[in-house]
Amino acid sequence: MHITSIGSQLQILWTVVGFVMPAIVPVLCVPWTQISVKNITLLGPQFTPDVTNVSRDGGYSVLLNGNIVWLYDDTECMGHAGNQLSFVSNTAAVADPNQNISTVKDFGVVMIGSDKYGRKEYAILANDTVGTGGWIPFQPDELQFNNKMKGQERVAIWPGTSPTPISTTQAFVYAPLVYVDYQPQDPSKEYQARGMTLVTITAPSSGPIATREGDLIIPGTEVAFGGFATLLGYTSTANPPSGNDKRDVYLLGAANNGLQLARVGLEDMETYTEYSYFDPERLQFSKASPDPNISDYTQIYLPGTFTSGSVFYSPYFTTYLMIYLNRMADSTFYVRYLDLNKPLETDPVWIQGGKEGNGIVQEDAEALVKYAWSPQQTLYASPPGKGGFNYAGTAHPEYFNRQYFAESLYPDSTTSSQRQNAWYGSTILSENDAGSDGRHLLISWTSQLQGGTDNGIYQIWLAKVEFGITSGESTGTPSSAPSVPAASMHGGQQPSKTPENMMPNIGSRMSIIFRHNGWEDSQFYDALRSLLLLGIVASGIAILL
């Protein structure tokens, strides 16, 4: 081949690179930044001194009316000898801010008698406080079914995630209804989702109250929207509300291959036909609900594996954090943040640096569909119990944080200086020593002390995360000095997006590639850096020729 022919081809190649480079250079110049974790303190198990012995899982929380209400899934109370005293589908407790952070006061506890040694025994029973089978009430037909089947089969209501406040005194949670068959002919049918029910929660001085808002809001054949996390925010900037009191609810649900996202007006939560669903390829909402089994990663809001987690606004990082466990049973917490330096598309409002370039506030939940999530990194490998892996990992941002509530949730008569909650967690960390709201974070998980569906013993464990010092800029980007290495995605659930099969789609799906949410970002940058180097080399040769 002649030298001139080689030069011509390289010049053509350089021309192509010249068109591509303006689009990719900004990405190369703004790399992903890891979150810095300074220290993690294991606090140990949660204590329930009002109950003789208790085994339960879950462990979700919400701050309401000055009380931190904890919610749990299946709860079994046992006597001193380990004999069962009671079993209910869900329970609630209240944390006393003046006591040890690990101590909660259970709701619905009664003394049922004494053991053979004369020791009194206390349990959470189906009395008038939980007389419908659990703290979250069953419908009459559900309770009738459970009473008839006597535990061989049952309908369960498990809170599943932390409630979302709509004011300083009221919250809601989408709780899954689950059909449980302890001896199914098909082992895969032991747990069958019936759907999601909507529960409102208040916390008067007499104790927390849960109210069912109808039966099933979201059918069991759909993605369990709201089961992973929900956020309350302003209505979309594309559809300005007629009044200042309008709000939208964003619902994250875990599907087989990642998280999907839905949206509905706060006043329409009970009407499923009013829900719309995010299309990550078109970057817009539509009425077409996603298939829970979809495997096309361009149709998944956040590809990956997720079981339990939390999504919340961090005043420390001035952006949203996502903290979660995956399906790999590795007992490891992972973290992502919404990167305000990486808008998904050109938008006059949602630009680099946040809303109109001024960051975001807690009510800006629409940012979830305007910016990219960072790649996941390891936050904390929690120590598993003797019975097996940990699960039900959750964050509790109401602790060590006076800015738990969005400012708009306070009564209108509240002055700006009064729009902050009390400091919770002072028994282990004073506000003066904390450094900043949200720099420290309480996380919890369910530890299996003894595995097994019929004889398992489960316990809520706690730890405190201390994040590293940020750069001090409210840009939605953490410190550039990481102390925790980024984690690679585990297992075979992740999409195969290598540089080879990515490049043909750059022109048509650039926004999807910028997200690169379910796969290693290093592949993305390696491919682009290779292209950049190739362009430079081609340019040099072309000039010489």
Side-chain angles (χ1 to χ4, degrees), residues 331-344:
S331 304
T332 300
F333 282 82
Y334 297 95
V335 61
R336 299 174 187 253
Y337 63 91
L338 196 67
D339 194 335
L340 304 185
N341 284 324
K342 291 186 171 54
L344 297 177

Side-chain angles (χ1 to χ4, degrees), residues 373-487:
W373 284 100
S374 69
Q376 77 169 14
Q377 67 178 84
T378 297
L379 179 66
Y380 175 55
S382 61
K386 294 181 179 180
F389 61 88
N390 298 332
Y391 64 98
T394 308
H396 306 274
E398 66 271 25
Y399 288 89
F400 319 118
N401 176 21
R402 283 187 175 272
Q403 301 178 60
Y404 171 71
F405 291 115
E407 289 194 5
S408 63
L409 299 187
Y410 288 89
D412 292 339
S413 58
T414 308
T415 64
S416 297
S417 61
Q418 294 176 323
R419 293 183 185 237
Q420 58 181 9
N421 51 269
W423 182 265
Y424 298 99
S426 59
T427 55
I428 64 170
L429 180 68
S430 70
E431 184 175 6
N432 290 336
D433 294 333
S436 180
D437 285 328
R439 180 177 176 183
H440 299 257
L441 179 69
L442 185 71
I443 58 174
S444 72
W445 61 90
T446 297
S447 175
Q448 301 185 70
L449 303 185
Q450 176 179 309
T453 56
D454 297 326
N455 59 353
I457 299 178
Y458 308 96
Q459 195 173 47
I460 310 302
W461 276 60
L462 307 173
K464 182 179 71 68
V465 178
E466 180 183 2
F467 293 110
I469 298 175
T470 66
S471 60
E473 298 178 0
S474 299
T475 60
T477 303
S479 168
S480 58
S483 61
V484 176

Side-chain angles (χ1 to χ4, degrees), residues 110 114 179 196 216 265 269-270 331 376 395 402 420:
V110 296
S114 303
Y179 170 76
M196 307 297 289
L216 292 178
M269 286 194 297
E270 297 179 44
S331 304
Q376 77 169 14
R402 283 187 175 272
Q420 58 181 9

Side-chain angles (χ1 to χ4, degrees), residues 136-154:
I136 299 174
F138 286 110
Q139 302 283 37
D141 61 327
E142 297 163 351
L143 184 59
Q144 183 180 12
F145 177 83
N146 286 349
N147 290 334
K148 178 182 177 180
M149 300 309 297
K150 299 184 182 300
Q152 294 302 311
E153 300 175 32
R154 65 185 174 104

Side-chain angles (χ1 to χ4, degrees), residues 174 176 193-196 217-228 251-262 272 275 277-278 288-294 299-301 327:
Y174 285 81
R194 290 191 60 220
M196 307 297 289
I217 303 298
I218 301 174
T221 55
E222 302 288 334
V223 173
F225 288 108
F228 185 82
L251 305 92
L252 285 159
N256 286 343
N257 296 296
L259 296 179
Q260 297 286 23
L261 180 66
Y272 189 58
Y275 287 61
Y277 312 93
F278 187 65
S289 61
D291 184 341
N293 300 311
I294 194 169
Q299 299 298 317
I300 299 174
Y301 171 70
R327 292 185 182 180

Side-chain angles (χ1 to χ4, degrees), residues 12 16 18 36 94 117 176 213 259 323 354 365 384 402 421-422 425 529 536:
I12 293 173
V16 173
S36 172
V94 176
Y117 300 106
E213 303 298 337
L259 296 179
I323 293 176
R402 283 187 175 272
N421 51 269
R529 289 189 181 100
I536 294 173

Side-chain angles (χ1 to χ4, degrees), residues 285-406:
F285 284 88
S286 74
K287 286 297 184 180
S289 61
D291 184 341
N293 300 311
I294 194 169
S295 58
D296 181 356
Y297 284 85
T298 66
Q299 299 298 317
I300 299 174
Y301 171 70
L302 186 58
T305 66
F306 303 86
T307 52
S308 60
S310 305
V311 180
F312 57 95
Y313 181 83
S314 167
Y316 186 63
F317 293 111
T318 62
T319 189
Y320 291 106
L321 295 185
M322 178 186 294
I323 293 176
Y324 58 95
L325 300 182
N326 63 22
R327 292 185 182 180
M328 303 307 168
D330 60 3
S331 304
T332 300
F333 282 82
Y334 297 95
V335 61
R336 299 174 187 253
Y337 63 91
L338 196 67
D339 194 335
L340 304 185
N341 284 324
K342 291 186 171 54
L344 297 177
E345 62 178 340
T346 301
D347 188 291
V349 176
W350 305 98
I351 63 177
Q352 186 171 345
K355 193 175 184 180
E356 297 179 339
N358 298 316
I360 60 173
V361 296
Q362 189 166 171
E363 296 95 330
D364 288 327
E366 189 179 8
L368 294 181
V369 298
K370 299 298 182 180
Y371 298 94
W373 284 100
S374 69
Q376 77 169 14
Q377 67 178 84
T378 297
L379 179 66
Y380 175 55
S382 61
K386 294 181 179 180
F389 61 88
N390 298 332
Y391 64 98
T394 308
H396 306 274
E398 66 271 25
Y399 288 89
F400 319 118
N401 176 21
R402 283 187 175 272
Q403 301 178 60
Y404 171 71
F405 291 115

